[in-house]
Each structure stands twice: as C-alpha cells, then as structure tokens.
Amino acid sequence: MSGAGYDGGVIHPPANAQPQAAQAFRHFFQELREVYLERETLFTQIELALLCREHVLVVGPPGTAKSAIASAVLGRILDEKTGQPSLFAKQIAESTVQTDLIGPVDFKVLTETGRTEFLTEDGMLGATHAFLDEVFDGRDMLLRSVLNVLHERELKHGRRVTSGRIECAIMTSNRYLSEVLARSPELLLAFADRLSFISFVPKSFARSASRAAMLQRSAHGLRPDLRAQLSLQQLDVLQAAVERVVVSSVLLEAIELLTDELERALTAQVSKLPDYVPTKYFSQRSVVKALWALKAAVVRDQLYRHPERPLEATVEDLDALRWFFLLGGPPAEESEALLKVAVDPRERAQLEIVRIEQEAFDAALAKVRAELGSGPEREAATLGAAEELKKVEALTRGFQPGLVTTSAQQLRVKLVPGPRHADNRELLLGAARGLLASVEQRLARGPIEGTESRLGLPMFTALVEVTRLSGLVPELGSLRPTLIDATSRFLVQSLELMALNAESLSFDEAVSADGLLGAAHGLAEELAQVEELLALMAESHVALASHLRREEAGARQRAVTALRQRVASVFPGTRSRRDPLDALSADSRRLAQIEQALCRLDPSQRGLKQQLLQPLGFDYARSVLGTVPFERIDQLSRTVLSVAENLRREGLTPEPVFVECREVLETRVRDYVRNVSRELASVPPAPQAAISGEAYHFYRGDFSQQARDGEFSALLGLEGQLAFARAPSATFFLSEAVREAVARVDLAFVQTRLKFLRSWLTQLLTALPAPQTAQNRASADHIFDRLVRSRFPMLTLKEGELVRLKGVLGVLMAVPGEPGESARKLEGVLRGINEDFTNFSKQLLERRASL
C-alpha cells in the first residue's frame, strides 16, 4: 500500500486516505441522488449498510428503479487492483437452487473422496457485494438458507466451514410486504431478523417537479450519466472509521431503552390494526446490529454534515436509528401526499405502515431522551447497591457462609462488566471490599471457633465465590494477595481437620453404613470445592496453589484410607432381615453407593464392593443352600440356579462362592438320600387288586411318592448347573461318594418298582385264563376286558412306564462298578416283565381276532 505506515504489526492508511475516501463516497451518492429522484431514504439506508457491512432489502411495485439503483451502486464500486466490481448478481426464480447462489459442487472432490464440497469462490461468498433480484420468487427453504449464509458470512458443509468475503447484499422484490406476509409469515420474520435495513419504494412521486424532470429527461433521450468513482479500498477506509467510533455507556443504555420502548409502541399498534406487522423483529441480534448502525450513522454524519466531529456517538445520532428500526420510505410530508393519490390498497397499506412506524419512533425517541438524564438513579435502583451494603454489615454481626456466597455471586454479576455510571460502580465496590474484609477476619480465626462445628462445605463454596470475585473485578486486585494468604492458612488447617475427622470414625462404634456413605459424600463435595478454589488461586499464585494441592492430596489419601478401613469393619455386620436375598441385595446396594462415593475421592477404590460383598455372598449362599427344603434333587438344582443368578445380579462371581459351599451341597444330598431310603417299601398287590385296577392307583399314588426313581439323572442335571464352579481338571463338582449314594438309592427305587410290577403282572396272568382256553369271541372279549380293567396295559403301553424305567436304568448302567452292574441285572428283570406281558397280550389279541 503506497504511502502507508507500519507500526507494531498494524498497517495505517496514508494520512490523506480518509479525506479522499470521504470525498469519493459523497460524490458517488450525490450523483446517484441527482439521477434517481425521491429515493433519499433508500440511498441513506444503502450508505449505512455499506459502512457497517450489512444487507438491504428493497420492496415496491415494478417500475420504481429498484434493480437499476442496486446495479448502479454495487456495480460501480470497483476494486483498485482489478478495475472491476467484486459483485455476485443473480435473478432469483422458483427454479433457483442452492448451488446457483453458493457455488457449484466440486466434482473432483466428490469423485475422489465422496464428500460434497462447493466452489464458493464462484458464488456470493466469493464476492464482496451481492445483488439478488426478485428474491421472494425463490422457494422458502432456499431463501432461509441464503439468509443464514449472508448473516454468518460462511458456509457449513459437513465438518468443513468455508468463510466468505461477502460484506453487503442488496435484495429486491416487486412484491409488497403484505404479500410476503400472506404467503409466508415465517419467511418475513427471518428476513426482518437478519437484515439491518428494509426499504419501501413507492409507485408515484410525491413532488410534481420530480415527475416533470423524469418526463423531460425521457423526452430528450437523456440516460443516466454516472461518472463518480468509489473503490472497495476507499470503502475499507470508511469501514475502519466505523469500527473506531466510540459509543458511551449512556448511549448503550439509550439503545436498549429505545429498542424496548419502540417494541412496546409497535406492538400496541398491532392491537389497533390487526393487519399490521412490525417491520423489525426485536431480538438480541437486532440490538447488536443497532449498535453498528449507530456507529455507521456517526461516520455518515461526519462525511456529509460535520467533517470535524470526533468519532463518538451523541444523543443526536440516535435519530438515525429510524433507518435501522423502521421500514424505510418517504418522509412524513411526502407520505401524506402519496396517501392522497394512492389507489392500490397494497400501496396505501405500505405507506400507512411507514407513517405509523415513523410516528411511533418519534414518540419513543422523545421518551428515551427524557429518561436519559435519570439514568444513574434508575440504574442504582436496579442494582440495589444499598441492599448489598446491608448484607455486608450483617456479616460483621454474625458470619454466615451462605450469605457470603450469595453476596459474592450477586456482586460479581453486577460488577462484571459493571454499571454504566461510575458512582454506582463505586457503591458496589465498597460492598465488595467490605465483603472481602469480613471474610478475611473470619479466616483468621480458623476453621473452628468456640463450640461451633468445623466450617466445611458452605465455607469452601463461599471462598470459591469470593476468590472468583476478586479475580474478575480489577479494582479488587490489590486486595487479592491478602485474601489468598488468609485462605491458604485456613485451607491447611481445614484439610488436616478433614483427615482427622475421617480417621476418628475408627473409634466410633455406633457409625453405620449410612453414616459412612454420608461422610464419603460430604468429604467428596468439600474436596471438589477445594479443587475449584485452588484452580482460582493458581491464576495469580501458582507456587502457593501447588503447595496446597500437595496438602490436599495428602489429606485426601488419609481420609480415603480411614473410610475404607471403617467400611471393611462394618461389613459384614449382623443381619436383622429374615430373607437372605433381601439382606444381600441391601448390602450390595449400600456397598455400591459407598464405593461410588469413595471413587469420587480416589478412583483406585474401584473393586471395594466386590471385595467386601464376597463374604456376604458366601453367607447368603450357605444360608439358602443349607436351609431351603426340597423333595426331589431337581428342586435343589433350581435353588442352585437361583442362587447363582442372584449372586451375578448383585455383581458377585458365583464360582468361588459355590466352591466354598461344596460341603453344604454334599451334606444336603447325603441327608436327602438317607431320608428317602428309609421310605422304601414294596407291598405286593392282592390278587383282587391286581385285576380290579386298584394296583394301578396304588402304583401311581402313594407308591410313586415313595419310589422317587430318576434322582441320579436329576443329580447329573445338578452337576450341569454347577459346571461353572468345577475345577478345570475335574469331571464332576460333587464327590464320587455322593454320586454313588444317589445311584444306589435310585437303583433301590427302580428295584422296588420292578418288584411291584413283577408281582402285579404275575397275579394278573394267574387270575386271567390263558388265551388258548377261549372257545368263542365272547370268552375272548371277557378276558380282554378284564385285562384292560386292570390298567396294566395303559401303564405300560399308553403311559410308557416300562420305557421310562428302561431310560432310568440306562443312565445307571453308565455308572462304573457295582451300581452299574446292578442296573444291568435290573434291566434283565425289566426285560422279562415286558416279554411276559407282550407274549400274553399278543396271544390274546391273535386269539380274539381268529374267533
């Protein structure tokens, strides 16, 4: 940059750059005003938009030179380097798509990586200025995306964000705002929130001289002759001036007051005119934009009216915010003239909006100007400095950590960034200084005072807030070192007391699990506040904070060790609950809570629950496996499954528990075998019972209750349930002696059954005539009916009792040694019973069929 100076990395424009840029700017727009008559408001809004890098929407009926003005402005702001405008122009239509505006898809990236990226240099982000004609002809979704891009000046696609150069866009439309509102109220709201300037260009001229001048030019074939020069670089100089404009706290308050008052005034108009919709959407975004519009107005005023004025906003500059907050249009006197001749109801409605909003703005501005003089008193009432002083005075009469916390928080909110008026700030600073002094006095007396309990969590919370306050308020910086020193001495004593309190639990026999849980939670909360306090202290006293962190780590470790030891002595305790599972579940939940609390203090404490719950799991398993009654071994198997699942659900590994309970299980099985073996009895059926069916009912009733065969198969099922606890080299979990005892009693059961069945069949065959003796069909049917009435065929054929017993013996035959040999012998007896019955029944059926 020729003639530019360089100082500390900042490039300064030449001394004559600002006057040259100002003159070029004035000539550029004065020439435009001479060509395009009665467009003063529109040019004012465009000037402000260019200066503060914002956007303009221009609406009005066709034939009002909207597009011509946009092109004449943006198309003639040239880049000194290229001699060309940096302009993206596009006529919007319903068929317009996003790539038409932001740039085409980069097909090279798409084909090579599969990612969708855009060549934004070819779209509106790649230019300094943009002209979008007939903007409301596009689809709503497209327009919303365009608005977001224009507002944020960047494009988000995937994880990539592309920044753009776009500064100012002028959008035009031949539609009235009422038409846009009827079509899409949300779309108009989006425009009102993101655009700083909206202007309405009426159909007619208010002054007859303007129409005469237009006709005169047309009659002589005169075309606009625009020769004034304005460059992007000159505009940059003026935009830099806008950034340097100073806006006092009083003016910032005025912007807020004006925004609130104008919003109330325009909302009141809505209740009077149902069809009226305010042009501006009042949001936090609009307040910030209003600030920059005010800064631009100061520079514009310097350019046109007061070249010697400093770049500092005044109350008089607030009037220029009408072009930001309101729908731009003809001045009041011209609006009245146009309303008299306007025929189109849309035109009249738009002019009426201009008039209503101008009147509301004038009233709101007058009210704000009147209120600005009472700003200090009004702010003082809002801040409540006197109440803050009363709170601090109360601390001198009786120290309350909770009051310190709330006072520090409220003072921080009120002092950062702080009041607009110095007197009000000084009052708050007096309260803050008094607060720090009260805290220091209490810290000097240590954590314990007289018979009071140790100052714990509430005091640490208060110290966090006071330390944060002293670090954020510059005026308190000189008091911070004294506060930090007093806090460090207090912390050393408090940390020692924390450790001692935890260690004292070892001497408190009355402490319960709930008490330990509460102690762990309380300690964790206190130390969390201490950590936050040390982080704040480290911002200005690094070495001291490091020393205190070592103190904190030592106290933490002592406390955790003491708590863990006391927890181990409390668990296991005496059980008052009747149900063992309820007891185990309660202990599991409580240990999980205590472990979680201790892990907040020290993550290495993970596993405490498993360690202390294991013995409790042993007690639970012994209690259940040793006491739950069962009548068959498969019932014991279900109990084993239930115990294992309950242990897993409580977070315990069942393998070591069942290994520990092996003897309990074996004892239960031995006792069971011993008891059921006493019940064995074989009473042969009487001859009449054998033939009448009573033998069947006895066999299926009381006899089956005594002869519980199949227990060895049930024992194998139990072994399957216990496979998880079996040693890697072992085939079975239970001892061989137990298996042999069950096998023997099972053999005894089967033997008893076979003895009864043999006796029953023998008496049945003795009582029935031989099939060969039947001389006719009637006698054969009589033998057949007596055989069926005995129920022996139903037992063996339909119910498959002999097949079932064969299966039981098949399992027992696999047992090595004498039990297996005995099973094979019984299998021979079973086979004999089956053959005798089969032969008899076969002969009877054949004889019956032959007669």
Side-chain angles (χ1 to χ4, degrees):
M1 183 180 293
S2 177
Y6 183 83
D7 179 19
V10 179
I11 298 177
H12 299 282
N16 60 347
Q18 175 112 7
Q20 291 177 356
Q23 183 178 18
F25 189 89
R26 285 194 304 272
H27 289 171
F28 185 82
F29 280 98
Q30 285 170 353
E31 186 181 62
L32 287 167
R33 285 179 170 87
E34 293 172 0
V35 172
Y36 298 100
L37 303 175
E38 295 193 25
R39 298 295 180 258
E40 176 61 33
T41 298
L42 175 56
F43 285 124
T44 299
Q45 289 181 302
I46 292 176
E47 288 170 336
L48 293 174
L50 288 170
L51 290 172
C52 65
R53 300 185 179 94
E54 287 295 340
H55 311 303
V56 185
L57 171 64
V58 188
V59 297
T64 51
K66 299 182 298 297
S67 300
I69 290 174
S71 298
V73 174
L74 300 182
R76 296 190 311 113
I77 302 177
L78 307 180
D79 189 336
E80 293 177 1
K81 300 175 182 178
T82 65
Q84 298 294 323
S86 178
L87 176 64
F88 174 85
K90 182 68 177 178
Q91 172 93 26
I92 306 298
E94 188 176 356
S95 60
T96 303
V97 295
Q98 189 180 32
T99 52
D100 294 332
L101 300 177
I102 65 173
V105 173
D106 189 334
F107 285 102
K108 184 175 185 296
V109 174
L110 181 64
T111 54
E112 292 179 355
T113 67
R115 298 195 311 270
T116 301
E117 295 184 5
F118 299 90
L119 300 172
T120 54
E121 280 296 314
D122 296 338
M124 58 186 180
L125 284 176
T128 305
H129 299 137
F131 170 37
L132 304 180
D133 197 16
E134 294 303 334
V135 65
F136 289 128
D137 285 356
R139 292 188 297 253
D140 288 3
M141 188 70 70
L142 171 71
L143 299 183
R144 287 193 180 91
S145 66
V146 169
L147 279 176
N148 287 332
V149 170
L150 288 174
H151 173 69
E152 297 171 359
R153 269 80 172 185
E154 62 184 22
L155 175 67
K156 298 181 179 70
H157 40 121
R159 288 181 289 182
R160 183 176 176 182
V161 178
T162 302
S163 298
R165 299 199 304 271
I166 187 72
E167 291 183 358
C168 176
I170 298 179
M171 289 164 271
T172 63
S173 174
N174 285 333
R175 304 187 185 200
Y176 290 92
L177 289 180
S178 58
E179 294 180 90
V180 181
L181 177 64
R183 166 193 164 189
S184 178
E186 298 82 5
L187 181 61
L188 181 58
L189 183 67
F191 268 84
D193 189 34
R194 289 170 175 80
L195 301 185
S196 291
F197 304 96
I198 302 179
S199 188
F200 165 64
V201 180
K203 181 188 299 183
S204 304
F205 289 122
R207 300 188 297 270
S208 58
S210 299
R211 179 179 295 180
M214 179 188 69
L215 292 174
Q216 184 73 10
R217 292 174 185 175
S218 178
H220 292 83
L222 299 178
R223 300 180 63 83
D225 184 16
L226 300 173
R227 300 184 181 185
Q229 298 287 320
L230 180 64
S231 69
L232 290 174
Q233 288 72 17
Q234 290 170 331
L235 196 54
D236 289 340
V237 172
L238 299 178
Q239 290 168 343
V242 172
E243 295 174 1
R244 297 196 301 272
V245 172
V246 176
V247 181
S248 67
S249 59
V250 174
L251 267 295
L252 291 175
E253 181 185 20
I255 293 175
E256 292 183 34
L257 293 173
L258 181 59
T259 302
D260 296 339
E261 185 61 33
L262 185 59
E263 182 178 16
R264 283 192 293 269
L266 295 180
T267 302
Q269 294 297 328
V270 174
S271 62
K272 298 177 183 177
L273 303 171
D275 295 334
Y276 168 66
V277 176
T279 306
K280 181 63 64 177
Y281 175 73
F282 293 88
S283 65
Q284 298 303 320
R285 179 186 295 160
S286 64
V287 176
V288 175
K289 288 180 178 292
L291 170 62
W292 285 95
L294 180 64
K295 289 187 172 189
V298 171
V299 172
R300 182 179 179 277
D301 184 68
Q302 186 189 63
L303 291 174
Y304 282 104
R305 298 172 57 199
H306 303 101
E308 301 302 324
R309 71 167 290 175
L311 292 178
E312 182 175 354
T314 66
V315 174
E316 287 70 24
D317 294 314
L318 292 173
D319 188 74
L321 287 179
R322 68 175 66 245
W323 313 128
F324 170 79
F325 280 117
L326 310 181
L327 174 64
E333 62 278 5
E334 294 184 4
S335 296
E336 293 295 339
L338 289 170
L339 275 170
K340 292 179 180 179
V341 299
V343 177
D344 191 324
R346 297 171 301 172
E347 180 90 1
R348 292 186 60 83
Q350 209 74 88
L351 289 168
E352 189 67 26
I353 289 175
V354 172
R355 186 181 65 80
I356 288 173
E357 291 189 348
Q358 290 287 350
E359 292 176 355
F361 182 86
D362 291 339
L365 181 59
K367 187 174 182 180
V368 169
R369 283 175 171 169
E371 291 182 359
L372 281 181
S374 61
E377 294 79 8
R378 185 173 59 254
E379 184 183 64
T382 303
L383 291 173
E387 287 76 10
E388 297 298 337
L389 286 169
K390 289 179 181 179
K391 293 178 185 177
V392 174
E393 291 173 0
L395 291 174
T396 62
R397 297 188 296 271
F399 190 84
Q400 303 174 50
L403 183 58
V404 172
T405 298
T406 56
S407 294
Q409 290 172 339
Q410 291 171 1
L411 285 170
R412 174 165 52 85
V413 171
K414 295 173 181 179
L415 283 168
V416 181
R420 294 187 174 92
H421 304 285
D423 291 344
N424 290 332
R425 183 173 183 84
E426 191 55 41
L427 288 173
L428 292 175
L429 286 172
R433 294 187 186 99
L435 179 65
L436 266 61
S438 298
V439 171
E440 290 173 17
Q441 292 171 8
R442 179 60 190 88
L443 291 176
R445 299 195 294 271
I448 299 178
E449 186 175 21
T451 59
E452 294 180 2
S453 59
R454 175 179 66 86
L455 288 176
L457 180 62
M459 187 61 179
F460 295 137
T461 304
L463 289 176
V464 166
E465 294 302 330
V466 170
T467 305
R468 182 178 286 118
L469 174 67
S470 68
L472 291 174
V473 179
E475 294 91 337
L476 300 179
S478 60
L479 304 178
R480 185 175 172 85
T482 305
L483 174 67
I484 295 296
D485 288 342
T487 302
S488 65
R489 290 190 294 271
F490 180 86
L491 278 180
V492 170
Q493 298 175 56
S494 297
L495 290 170
E496 177 66 20
L497 286 174
M498 284 186 207
L500 290 174
N501 286 345
E503 291 168 346
S504 70
L505 294 174
S506 299
F507 302 93
D508 187 357
E509 293 297 329
V511 69
S512 63
D514 288 334
L516 290 171
L517 180 61
H521 276 310
L523 186 62
E525 291 176 0
E526 289 185 14
L527 289 177
Q529 289 297 100
V530 170
E531 287 180 345
E532 188 173 355
L533 180 58
L534 293 179
L536 292 171
M537 295 171 68
E539 295 174 0
S540 57
H541 294 70
V542 177
L544 181 59
S546 298
H547 167 70
L548 290 173
R549 282 197 177 96
R550 291 191 291 272
E551 293 283 338
E552 186 270 342
R556 180 189 295 266
Q557 190 57 49
R558 287 171 57 190
V560 170
T561 302
L563 285 172
R564 178 159 187 150
Q565 290 173 350
R566 193 67 185 94
V567 170
S569 65
V570 170
F571 292 93
T574 57
R575 295 176 181 274
S576 59
R577 307 176 187 87
R578 291 184 178 181
D579 186 73
L581 180 58
D582 287 346
L584 180 66
S585 298
D587 289 338
S588 174
R589 288 193 300 272
R590 189 52 45 83
L591 280 171
Q593 293 169 347
I594 293 177
E595 178 184 303
Q596 184 179 15
L598 289 180
C599 283
R600 287 181 61 191
L601 295 166
D602 180 8
S604 67
Q605 298 303 309
R606 196 166 303 283
L608 174 67
K609 172 189 171 183
Q610 181 77 16
Q611 173 190 339
L612 298 183
L613 194 62
Q614 198 78 24
L616 304 177
F618 292 156
D619 293 345
Y620 158 72
R622 289 193 196 97
S623 174
V624 174
L625 296 176
T627 59
V628 172
F630 63 93
E631 295 182 356
R632 302 293 295 262
I633 290 179
D634 57 356
Q635 295 175 354
L636 178 61
S637 180
R638 289 194 290 272
T639 300
V640 166
L641 177 62
S642 175
V643 169
E645 289 303 317
N646 289 335
L647 290 172
R648 291 189 182 98
R649 185 168 56 250
E650 299 304 332
L652 285 173
T653 304
E655 287 86 340
V657 176
F658 276 89
V659 171
E660 186 79 11
C661 295
R662 185 200 309 272
E663 186 58 37
V664 173
L665 287 170
E666 291 197 347
T667 299
R668 294 298 306 278
V669 174
R670 288 194 194 97
D671 292 345
Y672 168 74
V673 169
R674 188 165 46 252
N675 290 332
V676 297
S677 63
R678 298 193 189 110
E679 301 174 2
L680 293 175
S682 178
V683 181
Q688 183 60 33
I691 199 73
S692 67
E694 293 179 13
Y696 170 82
H697 292 296
F698 176 76
Y699 185 86
R700 281 300 188 208
D702 295 341
F703 186 72
S704 290
Q705 291 295 323
Q706 297 177 5
R708 305 173 187 178
D709 55 77
E711 290 299 82
F712 188 76
S713 295
L715 182 70
L716 295 180
L718 176 60
E719 282 283 358
Q721 296 289 350
L722 294 167
F724 63 85
R726 189 187 305 154
S729 58
T731 306
F732 297 99
F733 177 81
L734 299 174
S735 65
E736 183 179 350
V738 169
R739 294 198 307 279
E740 184 174 343
V742 174
R744 289 184 181 281
V745 77
D746 214 12
L747 283 169
F749 286 145
V750 175
Q751 184 178 15
T752 302
R753 283 186 180 275
L754 292 178
K755 187 175 180 180
F756 183 89
L757 291 173
R758 167 48 71 189
S759 175
W760 181 8
L761 181 61
T762 299
Q763 294 198 50
L764 180 62
L765 297 182
T766 301
L768 293 176
Q772 294 82 0
T773 62
Q775 300 299 317
N776 51 45
R777 180 61 182 263
S779 60
D781 287 344
H782 181 67
I783 298 172
F784 180 82
D785 290 342
R786 293 181 67 191
L787 178 62
V788 171
R789 192 163 53 249
S790 73
R791 301 278 183 95
F792 194 90
M794 184 176 72
L795 179 70
T796 57
L797 298 177
K798 185 175 181 180
E799 297 177 2
E801 179 66 4
L802 298 182
V803 175
R804 186 188 69 80
L805 290 174
K806 184 177 181 181
V808 173
L809 289 172
V811 174
L812 291 169
M813 284 189 292
V815 178
E818 192 273 334
E821 185 61 33
S822 297
R824 281 187 284 275
K825 292 179 181 179
L826 290 176
E827 200 272 339
V829 175
L830 176 65
R831 188 167 55 251
I833 295 172
N834 184 56
E835 289 175 354
D836 289 350
F837 172 72
T838 301
N839 290 335
F840 181 84
S841 59
K842 182 179 180 182
Q843 292 174 13
L844 177 59
L845 292 173
E846 289 176 352
R847 181 63 179 168
R848 188 166 173 250
S850 64
L851 295 175

